[in-house]
Amino acid sequence: MKIRNMLAGASLLAAGAAMPAFAQTLVYCSEGSPEGFDPALYTSGTTFDASSHPIYNRLVEFKTGTTEVVPGLAESWEVSEDGMQVTFNLRPGVKFHSNDMFTPSRDLNADDVIHSFERQMNTEGSWEYFQGMSMPDLIESIEKVDDMTVQFNLTRPEAPFIANMAMDFASIVSKEYHDAMAEAGTPEMVNQAPIGTGPFQFVDYQADAVIRYAANEDYWKEGLPKVDNLVFAITPDASVRYQRLQAGECHVMPYPNPADIEAMKEAEGIEVLEQEGLNVGYLAYNTTMEPFDNPEVRRALNMAIDKDAIIDVVFQGSGQVAKNPIPPTMWSYNDDIEDDPYDPEAARQMLADAGVEDLSMKIWAMPVQRPYNPNARRMAELIQEDFSEVGVDVEIVSYEWGEYLDRSRAIDRDGAILLGWTGDNGDPDNFLAVLLGCDGVENSNRAQWCHEPFEELIQEAKTLSDQEERAELYREAQEIFKEQAPWATIAHSVVFMPVREEVEGYVVHPLGGHIFTEVGLSE
């Protein structure tokens, strides 16, 4: 392919060489490798950055830097008066990418939209978001009104439905490409060599090293993207990412070491963008396994954790202690809830009262940096020390990121797991239902927690159109969460994003994505 030759020099980045002499090649030093390139299969922000944002579009989109929903592949939409039908009017003339195996014969139409969702409804697989958000129960059918009009028929009104359609799992894929790969006996290629309608076309991927993209010359947004080529230089170590940024080997880097931020702010040629994150980091107990099936045990362990020390050591002060499962900037946040006190003596007594002695457990620590947890290993070590003070012996375990996420879904997973979440759509449902609802068990609900009083509240809240009525239910749900303690809520972080001074138009996105559609480079 022509674009492969044009970008061949970019592979030097993987070896740490100087930046290629392409004036409009934007290089992003990403923190990890994607699990794949079909966003419907995954929940990791690392994967979405490499797949959903550059390669695909959705019916509606979030305006970068906000949670405002704007038209995407649908020019407009209508919701019926009873909330049971949502009709999307598709944008004409949208073209899919091509590659060595596939050239599209037509533009985007209703068949692609229907296929994008029906495959998640009707095909077995790890459709984690789709299942965790109760989509199989919500969507009764999807109707092709005509080639450019699609109607979703729902089983109930769903307040966050439009915003949910802007999420990564709702990326629109090419039915024609999927059919062609199935017929060729290579269905796995849709996840390895993705085809979308997005601003950048996938070129190739050298595992754990570099991903290359070329600008989509037929992109439906006129004048975008602003660079010719996009390169993800996969660089797991934050110190090495910063060295590459300083050397000009990359233009943007995520997740700096908190201890380096002040020095970065003083560094010549670098600007540090920052924004309060719409996120939460947590320790999820497996509530199906003894003794973690007992709320008293979970609350006792929560009281053993010195969260202020974690903020100081792990976040270097660039975060705040979390007491609720949603961030304080989100509507419906219940500020009246009192956090568990740090009280090791009381925690030890509560464990004894619950009949728990000589407890040994595992704590899983993520192998990658995330906005809600810049150093999971260090956090796990601090919790290990805290738990030892109340007589609990902790073994810290970890796995490669993709394996970590996959293994952690298991209903019989041992111990407790460090994870977190950055909001996908600005709605509390995206935290409370996806992470803690019954439909998320063995998927996005890593606590494996299904508690009927909580479930009833969050399911009722989905059906209401009045935001204050919904907020009241969510505030009540947060009280139940605190009482039942399926997690130890740890922290909400500030997101810092160092960029080189020649980068123009980069915006820190509150929903956590790193989006380069409107980013350019000064000469």
XYZ file of all heavy atoms in Angstrom, residues 427-486:
488
model
N -23.313 10.636 32.426
C -24.539 10.248 33.121
C -24.192 9.310 34.270
O -23.381 8.396 34.101
C -25.493 9.549 32.138
C -26.913 9.444 32.670
O -27.124 8.680 33.631
O -27.809 10.116 32.123
N -24.812 9.492 35.464
C -24.526 8.591 36.587
C -24.800 7.127 36.278
O -24.152 6.241 36.850
C -25.460 9.098 37.695
C -25.770 10.506 37.336
C -25.757 10.569 35.836
N -25.747 6.857 35.387
C -26.048 5.488 34.991
C -24.807 4.770 34.481
O -24.641 3.568 34.685
C -27.137 5.493 33.914
C -27.430 4.111 33.356
O -28.151 3.359 34.025
O -26.929 3.796 32.258
N -23.907 5.514 33.852
C -22.707 4.936 33.269
C -21.750 4.416 34.335
O -20.923 3.540 34.070
C -22.015 5.971 32.379
C -20.767 5.452 31.719
O -19.676 5.938 32.002
N -20.910 4.470 30.852
N -21.828 4.940 35.535
C -21.063 4.408 36.658
C -21.879 3.366 37.423
O -21.449 2.236 37.614
C -20.673 5.541 37.627
C -19.550 6.402 37.153
C -19.752 7.369 36.177
C -18.276 6.275 37.692
C -18.720 8.187 35.751
C -17.234 7.088 37.273
C -17.451 8.041 36.291
N -23.073 3.773 37.874
C -23.819 2.954 38.821
C -24.377 1.682 38.200
O -24.346 0.612 38.825
C -24.941 3.792 39.442
C -24.465 5.042 40.198
C -25.661 5.830 40.723
C -23.528 4.681 41.336
N -24.899 1.766 36.981
C -25.463 0.581 36.340
C -24.384 -0.287 35.710
O -24.368 -1.515 35.883
C -26.497 0.980 35.298
N -23.456 0.338 34.992
C -22.437 -0.443 34.278
C -21.501 -1.153 35.253
O -21.165 -2.325 35.063
C -21.642 0.470 33.325
C -20.496 -0.299 32.671
C -22.556 1.049 32.256
N -21.082 -0.464 36.307
C -20.075 -1.013 37.211
C -20.648 -1.799 38.374
O -19.941 -2.617 38.966
C -19.207 0.123 37.769
C -18.479 1.002 36.758
C -17.664 2.055 37.481
C -17.585 0.165 35.849
N -21.941 -1.543 38.711
C -22.495 -2.119 39.933
C -23.848 -2.780 39.733
O -24.416 -3.315 40.684
C -22.604 -1.021 41.006
C -21.254 -0.468 41.473
C -21.431 0.902 42.110
C -20.584 -1.433 42.449
N -24.374 -2.762 38.513
C -25.664 -3.369 38.238
C -25.565 -4.865 38.012
O -24.502 -5.417 37.693
N -26.686 -5.532 38.161
C -26.707 -7.000 38.039
C -26.322 -7.475 36.645
O -25.714 -8.541 36.490
C -28.094 -7.526 38.420
S -28.531 -7.261 40.155
N -26.661 -6.703 35.612
C -26.317 -7.117 34.249
C -24.815 -7.086 33.991
O -24.341 -7.676 33.020
C -27.027 -6.224 33.228
C -28.512 -6.511 33.139
O -28.893 -7.674 33.360
O -29.295 -5.582 32.874
N -24.076 -6.385 34.852
C -22.630 -6.302 34.668
C -21.846 -7.405 35.342
O -20.624 -7.485 35.176
N -22.521 -8.281 36.095
C -21.829 -9.383 36.767
C -21.164 -10.278 35.715
O -21.759 -10.590 34.676
C -22.810 -10.189 37.649
C -22.176 -11.471 38.147
C -23.281 -9.331 38.829
N -19.919 -10.642 35.974
C -19.053 -11.393 35.055
C -18.682 -10.578 33.822
O -18.141 -11.111 32.855
C -19.682 -12.731 34.641
C -19.827 -13.717 35.781
C -20.211 -15.100 35.307
O -19.330 -15.833 34.821
O -21.409 -15.454 35.422
N -18.936 -9.287 33.889
C -18.480 -8.381 32.840
C -17.892 -7.141 33.496
O -16.875 -7.219 34.158
C -19.625 -8.047 31.871
C -19.792 -9.097 30.787
O -18.865 -9.361 30.038
N -20.954 -9.718 30.708
N -18.558 -6.019 33.340
C -18.011 -4.757 33.843
C -18.142 -4.598 35.347
O -17.500 -3.727 35.933
C -18.709 -3.597 33.133
O -20.120 -3.755 33.169
N -18.975 -5.400 36.006
C -19.155 -5.357 37.457
C -18.136 -6.299 38.100
O -18.406 -7.462 38.345
C -20.586 -5.758 37.811
C -20.894 -5.686 39.293
O -19.996 -5.623 40.122
N -22.175 -5.704 39.618
N -16.927 -5.762 38.367
C -15.842 -6.627 38.856
C -16.036 -7.038 40.311
O -15.351 -7.925 40.797
C -14.495 -5.927 38.697
C -14.050 -5.666 37.245
C -14.151 -6.888 36.364
N -13.252 -6.886 35.242
C -13.441 -6.242 34.093
N -14.528 -5.526 33.915
N -12.555 -6.318 33.122
N -16.957 -6.398 41.034
C -17.277 -6.844 42.392
C -18.240 -8.026 42.369
O -18.504 -8.620 43.418
C -17.880 -5.695 43.200
N -18.777 -8.361 41.195
C -19.753 -9.458 41.048
C -20.920 -9.246 42.024
O -21.461 -10.197 42.587
C -19.077 -10.818 41.312
C -17.748 -11.022 40.622
C -17.813 -11.019 39.110
O -18.883 -10.976 38.519
N -16.669 -11.057 38.451
N -21.302 -7.995 42.169
C -22.268 -7.589 43.193
C -23.634 -7.354 42.560
O -23.774 -6.506 41.683
C -21.770 -6.315 43.873
C -22.591 -5.795 45.010
C -22.820 -6.408 46.202
C -23.255 -4.527 45.082
N -23.583 -5.602 47.024
C -23.862 -4.442 46.353
C -23.394 -3.460 44.201
C -24.604 -3.333 46.760
C -24.117 -2.350 44.604
C -24.720 -2.296 45.866
N -24.622 -8.105 42.989
C -25.993 -7.920 42.507
C -26.890 -7.806 43.736
O -27.192 -8.805 44.394
C -26.411 -9.112 41.631
S -28.103 -8.999 40.997
N -27.287 -6.570 44.054
C -28.033 -6.287 45.279
C -29.376 -5.677 44.893
O -29.425 -4.569 44.352
C -27.219 -5.340 46.161
C -27.805 -5.104 47.514
N -27.946 -6.104 48.451
C -28.291 -3.973 48.087
C -28.479 -5.597 49.546
N -28.700 -4.311 49.353
N -30.443 -6.377 45.141
C -31.749 -6.017 44.592
C -32.229 -4.615 44.977
O -32.733 -3.885 44.118
C -32.798 -7.061 44.994
C -34.049 -7.031 44.123
C -33.733 -7.234 42.649
O -32.860 -8.057 42.315
O -34.353 -6.528 41.821
N -32.099 -4.174 46.239
C -32.547 -2.799 46.552
C -31.827 -1.734 45.723
O -32.441 -0.757 45.282
C -32.235 -2.665 48.046
C -32.269 -4.067 48.562
C -31.694 -4.899 47.451
N -30.530 -1.930 45.502
C -29.754 -1.020 44.662
C -30.208 -1.124 43.209
O -30.427 -0.116 42.523
C -28.269 -1.373 44.788
C -27.328 -0.507 43.983
C -26.784 0.638 44.528
C -26.975 -0.860 42.682
C -25.904 1.423 43.799
C -26.106 -0.087 41.944
C -25.565 1.061 42.503
N -30.378 -2.347 42.736
C -30.763 -2.596 41.340
C -32.104 -1.956 41.020
O -32.282 -1.359 39.943
C -30.812 -4.104 41.087
C -31.121 -4.495 39.656
C -29.959 -4.283 38.709
O -28.832 -3.994 39.176
O -30.172 -4.403 37.493
N -33.055 -2.055 41.915
C -34.380 -1.473 41.667
C -34.296 0.037 41.462
O -34.978 0.599 40.597
C -35.320 -1.804 42.825
C -35.739 -3.268 42.885
C -36.578 -3.587 44.108
O -36.833 -2.655 44.917
O -36.971 -4.764 44.270
N -33.460 0.692 42.241
C -33.328 2.151 42.132
C -32.705 2.561 40.803
O -33.207 3.472 40.127
C -32.486 2.679 43.294
C -33.122 2.636 44.674
C -32.094 2.983 45.743
C -34.309 3.587 44.758
N -31.613 1.908 40.430
C -30.943 2.342 39.203
C -31.758 1.988 37.967
O -31.707 2.720 36.958
C -29.506 1.783 39.110
C -29.499 0.253 39.050
C -28.654 2.297 40.263
C -28.122 -0.338 38.743
N -32.510 0.898 38.022
C -33.351 0.554 36.874
C -34.528 1.513 36.746
O -34.899 1.905 35.631
C -33.841 -0.895 36.984
C -32.750 -1.945 36.832
C -32.025 -1.871 35.495
O -32.593 -1.458 34.481
N -30.768 -2.273 35.484
N -35.110 1.915 37.871
C -36.199 2.889 37.809
C -35.696 4.227 37.297
O -36.365 4.903 36.501
C -36.830 3.064 39.187
C -38.014 4.049 39.180
C -38.618 4.268 40.553
O -38.234 3.572 41.516
O -39.485 5.167 40.671
N -34.503 4.626 37.725
C -33.955 5.924 37.316
C -33.770 6.018 35.806
O -33.925 7.102 35.222
C -32.627 6.163 38.028
N -33.458 4.900 35.159
C -33.286 4.909 33.709
C -34.545 5.338 32.974
O -34.487 5.917 31.886
C -32.921 3.502 33.209
C -31.561 2.977 33.541
C -31.489 1.523 33.087
C -30.176 0.847 33.385
N -29.152 1.157 32.392
N -35.704 5.020 33.556
C -36.966 5.212 32.837
C -37.519 6.617 32.979
O -38.505 6.958 32.324
C -38.028 4.220 33.351
O -38.379 4.554 34.705
C -37.509 2.797 33.293
N -36.910 7.441 33.827
C -37.447 8.774 34.112
C -36.794 9.821 33.223
O -35.594 9.757 32.944
C -37.221 9.132 35.585
C -37.806 8.157 36.618
C -37.426 8.598 38.020
C -39.320 8.066 36.470
N -37.568 10.793 32.817
C -37.020 11.872 31.986
C -36.613 13.089 32.806
O -35.783 13.886 32.361
C -38.047 12.293 30.929
O -39.251 12.716 31.544
N -37.182 13.246 33.996
C -36.873 14.394 34.836
C -35.552 14.146 35.573
O -35.427 13.196 36.341
C -37.994 14.636 35.849
C -37.743 15.873 36.700
O -37.095 15.733 37.759
O -38.179 16.963 36.302
N -34.558 15.019 35.357
C -33.232 14.782 35.910
C -33.227 14.817 37.434
O -32.527 14.020 38.072
C -32.225 15.799 35.370
C -30.809 15.471 35.795
C -29.781 16.392 35.179
O -29.318 17.342 35.799
N -29.416 16.114 33.940
N -33.986 15.697 38.060
C -33.982 15.759 39.517
C -34.617 14.512 40.132
O -34.166 14.019 41.168
C -34.691 17.016 40.012
C -34.630 17.211 41.530
C -33.225 17.044 42.107
O -32.255 17.569 41.511
O -33.100 16.372 43.157
N -35.640 13.981 39.480
C -36.224 12.733 39.967
C -35.210 11.594 39.861
O -35.102 10.756 40.763
C -37.483 12.396 39.166
C -38.662 13.319 39.438
C -39.887 12.913 38.644
O -39.894 11.794 38.091
O -40.831 13.718 38.573
N -34.485 11.571 38.767
C -33.436 10.566 38.623
C -32.351 10.767 39.681
O -31.870 9.806 40.284
C -32.804 10.644 37.230
C -33.731 10.300 36.082
C -32.980 10.349 34.751
N -32.003 9.267 34.653
C -30.888 9.325 33.932
N -30.589 10.435 33.254
N -30.070 8.307 33.875
N -31.972 12.016 39.905
C -30.899 12.315 40.853
C -31.241 11.831 42.257
O -30.377 11.322 42.979
C -30.612 13.813 40.856
N -32.502 11.988 42.648
C -32.915 11.550 43.984
C -32.736 10.040 44.139
O -32.277 9.557 45.181
C -34.370 11.941 44.234
C -34.865 11.638 45.650
C -34.014 12.299 46.717
O -33.588 13.464 46.520
O -33.769 11.643 47.757
N -33.073 9.287 43.103
C -32.886 7.839 43.154
C -31.404 7.469 43.196
O -31.001 6.548 43.923
C -33.564 7.174 41.958
C -35.091 7.290 41.898
C -35.618 6.627 40.633
C -35.741 6.669 43.127
N -30.597 8.179 42.437
C -29.169 7.888 42.440
C -28.529 8.244 43.780
O -27.617 7.542 44.248
C -28.466 8.637 41.301
C -28.785 8.100 39.928
C -29.034 8.962 38.858
C -28.833 6.735 39.690
C -29.321 8.473 37.596
C -29.124 6.237 38.425
C -29.366 7.115 37.377
O -29.656 6.630 36.131
N -28.993 9.315 44.423
C -28.468 9.654 45.743
C -28.799 8.551 46.760
O -27.969 8.190 47.595
C -29.008 11.013 46.198
C -28.342 12.201 45.506
C -28.720 13.510 46.152
N -30.062 13.936 45.799
C -30.368 14.756 44.793
N -29.406 15.242 44.006
N -31.617 15.104 44.550
N -30.004 8.008 46.655
C -30.392 6.912 47.528
C -29.569 5.661 47.232
O -29.170 4.929 48.142
C -31.890 6.631 47.358
C -32.451 5.644 48.360
C -33.953 5.441 48.204
O -34.610 6.292 47.554
O -34.466 4.424 48.728
N -29.309 5.429 45.946
C -28.499 4.267 45.570
C -27.085 4.373 46.137
O -26.488 3.365 46.541
C -28.453 4.136 44.050
N -26.541 5.586 46.187
C -25.205 5.772 46.756
C -25.183 5.460 48.252
O -24.178 4.973 48.779
C -24.723 7.196 46.497
C -24.378 7.464 45.043
C -24.245 8.940 44.744
O -23.272 9.578 45.165
N -25.211 9.516 44.042
N -26.283 5.716 48.949
C -26.372 5.356 50.367
C -26.317 3.835 50.543
O -25.629 3.325 51.436
C -27.665 5.911 50.969
C -27.718 7.439 51.036
C -29.062 7.956 51.508
O -29.935 7.122 51.839
O -29.253 9.187 51.545
N -27.040 3.127 49.677
C -27.020 1.665 49.744
C -25.619 1.143 49.423
O -25.115 0.225 50.080
C -28.070 1.066 48.784
C -29.483 1.441 49.254
C -27.914 -0.445 48.678
C -30.572 1.023 48.290
N -25.003 1.726 48.403
C -23.634 1.329 48.047
C -22.709 1.469 49.253
O -21.917 0.567 49.557
C -23.130 2.192 46.886
C -21.647 2.081 46.652
C -21.128 1.097 45.833
C -20.761 2.958 47.285
C -19.758 0.986 45.626
C -19.397 2.846 47.088
C -18.892 1.856 46.263
N -22.813 2.589 49.958
C -21.900 2.832 51.074
C -22.147 1.830 52.199
O -21.204 1.352 52.845
C -22.075 4.257 51.586
C -20.855 4.768 52.344
C -19.670 4.870 51.391
C -18.409 5.323 52.085
N -17.279 5.394 51.134
N -23.394 1.514 52.410
C -23.752 0.550 53.456
C -23.259 -0.855 53.114
O -22.777 -1.593 53.964
C -25.270 0.553 53.636
C -25.813 -0.508 54.566
C -27.327 -0.604 54.458
O -27.999 0.438 54.550
O -27.825 -1.728 54.257
N -23.363 -1.232 51.854
C -23.006 -2.585 51.428
C -21.522 -2.744 51.095
O -20.995 -3.854 51.147
C -23.850 -2.982 50.213
C -25.323 -3.161 50.536
C -25.553 -4.365 51.422
O -25.059 -5.461 51.160
N -26.325 -4.163 52.488
N -20.868 -1.644 50.677
C -19.411 -1.608 50.486
C -18.866 -2.692 49.560
O -17.937 -3.418 49.920
C -18.718 -1.683 51.840
N -19.382 -2.821 48.335
C -18.761 -3.779 47.404
C -17.374 -3.342 46.962
O -16.586 -4.165 46.488
C -19.740 -3.793 46.226
C -20.424 -2.459 46.283
C -20.542 -2.136 47.741
